Amino acid sequence: MASIDPSRKLLTLINVVEVDPDKCDEVVKMFVDATAAVMSGLDGFVSSSIHRSLDGTRVINYAQWESEAALEAARNNPDTHIYYEQMDAYAKSYNPMLTTVIDSQLHK
Amino acid sequence: MASIDPSRKLLTLINVVEVDPDKCDEVVKMFVDATAAVMSGLDGFVSSSIHRSLDGTRVINYAQWESEAALEAARNNPDTHIYYEQMDAYAKSYNPMLTTVIDSQLHK
């Protein structure tokens, strides 16, 4: 199971994809299928978790990579290009943010 | 440790806060302190993980709650109001998105 652990110093990519609500389920399926078919086998890939906003206007990919170099290599891998082309075709906008986890707290 | 598990059917709140890069560390500290002091003790709170974008323009809170009702109760709890006021004061914009985890995959 994917876990959020500040001590691991992973790169966390949070990509907020704006979609037409009537296309939301298709975009979710596209992300899930692309992760299973291509992304999850790439070097440096750690996890990808697909979120759907309750109002259907956003699909959010919360993905963990070992490093920026690994993510960059994935982007340059021809096997992933169909995935980025599909995102371009479906998304009204998208905003991939490269982040680091600073802190994580559970219920106390 | 916080984990991402589609089977738990939690509410995941992803709040993307746009900040001045020179205020980014203060906003991170504000979130971390507010979580420790108030949020983490509230009914229905599961976890909160604070992310900082590498370019310093975004602080992202990835928070898990048992339900929308629990989150709504937290917002209406006077103990949390200082936290929302600080966010208003610091943020150039913020966009809290209520989501469900549909799928999560690890490296295979």
Side-chain angles (χ1 to χ4, degrees):
Chain A
M1 195 181 301
S3 61
I4 302 176
D5 177 1
S7 73
R8 285 185 74 191
K9 306 293 180 202
L10 298 174
L11 175 71
T12 302
L13 168 71
I14 302 173
N15 189 8
V16 178
V17 181
E18 185 187 5
V19 297
D20 278 325
D22 59 2
K23 296 278 172 60
C24 191
D25 292 332
E26 281 177 73
V27 178
V28 165
K29 185 174 186 313
M30 184 272 288
F31 269 110
V32 172
D33 290 350
T35 303
V38 179
M39 291 298 186
S40 62
L42 298 179
D43 287 346
F45 174 93
V46 176
S47 77
S48 175
S49 300
I50 308 303
H51 302 65
R52 184 194 199 285
S53 71
L54 303 191
D55 66 5
T57 64
R58 301 285 189 287
V59 178
I60 300 166
N61 181 18
Y62 182 98
Q64 297 171 316
W65 290 82
E66 290 288 354
S67 64
E68 276 191 85
L71 177 61
E72 190 62 24
R75 285 190 170 138
N76 291 328
N77 183 327
D79 292 346
T80 70
H81 292 176
I82 180 74
Y83 162 89
Y84 292 109
E85 286 161 16
Q86 285 181 320
M87 194 160 63
D88 276 333
Y90 273 118
K92 292 165 74 174
S93 72
Y94 53 91
N95 183 21
M97 294 170 282
L98 301 182
T99 77
T100 309
V101 180
I102 305 294
D103 180 72
S104 186
Q105 297 180 48
L106 299 178
H107 192 275
K108 66 180 182 190
Chain B
M1 194 181 303
S3 61
I4 302 177
D5 178 359
S7 73
R8 285 185 74 191
K9 305 291 178 202
L10 298 174
L11 176 71
T12 302
L13 169 72
I14 302 174
N15 190 8
V16 178
V17 182
E18 185 188 5
V19 297
D20 278 326
D22 59 0
K23 296 277 172 60
C24 191
D25 292 333
E26 281 177 74
V27 177
V28 166
K29 186 175 186 312
M30 183 273 286
F31 269 109
V32 172
D33 290 351
T35 303
V38 179
M39 291 296 184
S40 62
L42 298 179
D43 288 345
F45 173 93
V46 176
S47 78
S48 175
S49 299
I50 307 303
H51 302 65
R52 182 192 199 285
S53 70
L54 303 190
D55 65 6
T57 64
R58 300 286 188 285
V59 178
I60 300 166
N61 181 19
Y62 182 99
Q64 297 171 315
W65 290 82
E66 291 288 354
S67 65
E68 276 192 84
L71 177 61
E72 189 63 26
R75 285 192 171 136
N76 291 328
N77 182 328
D79 291 345
T80 71
H81 291 177
I82 181 74
Y83 163 89
Y84 292 108
E85 286 161 15
Q86 286 181 319
M87 194 159 64
D88 276 334
Y90 272 117
K92 292 165 75 175
S93 73
Y94 53 91
N95 183 21
M97 294 169 282
L98 302 182
T99 77
T100 309
V101 181
I102 305 293
D103 179 72
S104 186
Q105 297 180 47
L106 299 178
H107 191 277
K108 65 179 181 191

